[in-house]
Amino acid sequence: MNCPVRALDEFDVFMDAANRKIAMSMMVASARTQRDTQFILITPQDMSVKPDADITILRLQPPRRSAAAA
C-alpha cells in the first residue's frame, strides 16, 4: 500500500531560478502520473507553475511584525 500524501518542504531554497523551474516541471509531471496521490510542495520561493484543473496554489500572506519585535 502506498502513502496517499507526499510532502516536500523548502526543497528549492538553494536552487537558482532556472533549476527551480526545471525541478517544479519534473515534480508536476511525475505527480500527474500518480492520480491517487496528493502532493504538497511548500516553498518560500515564487512558484513557476500555474494553477490548473489539477493544481491548486495556496499563497500565505507575509507575517505581521509587531513594533516590539523590530
Side-chain angles (χ1 to χ4, degrees):
M1 174 183 242
N2 290 330
C3 179
V5 178
R6 306 269 169 98
L8 289 172
D9 182 19
E10 296 190 16
F11 58 91
D12 60 347
V13 292
F14 297 111
M15 291 184 192
D16 61 15
N19 284 318
R20 185 179 312 115
K21 186 174 183 174
I22 292 168
M24 286 298 298
S25 294
M26 291 173 65
M27 285 188 278
V28 168
S30 177
R32 283 184 165 146
T33 67
Q34 302 177 46
R35 303 304 272 172
D36 57 344
T37 304
Q38 180 178 2
F39 289 81
I40 301 169
L41 307 175
I42 302 169
T43 178
Q45 309 292 334
D46 287 334
M47 298 288 290
S48 61
V49 174
K50 303 295 181 220
D52 202 348
D54 59 347
I55 297 175
T56 301
I57 297 175
L58 302 174
R59 182 167 291 149
L60 301 178
Q61 295 296 319
R64 283 181 253 148
R65 308 273 187 213
S66 66

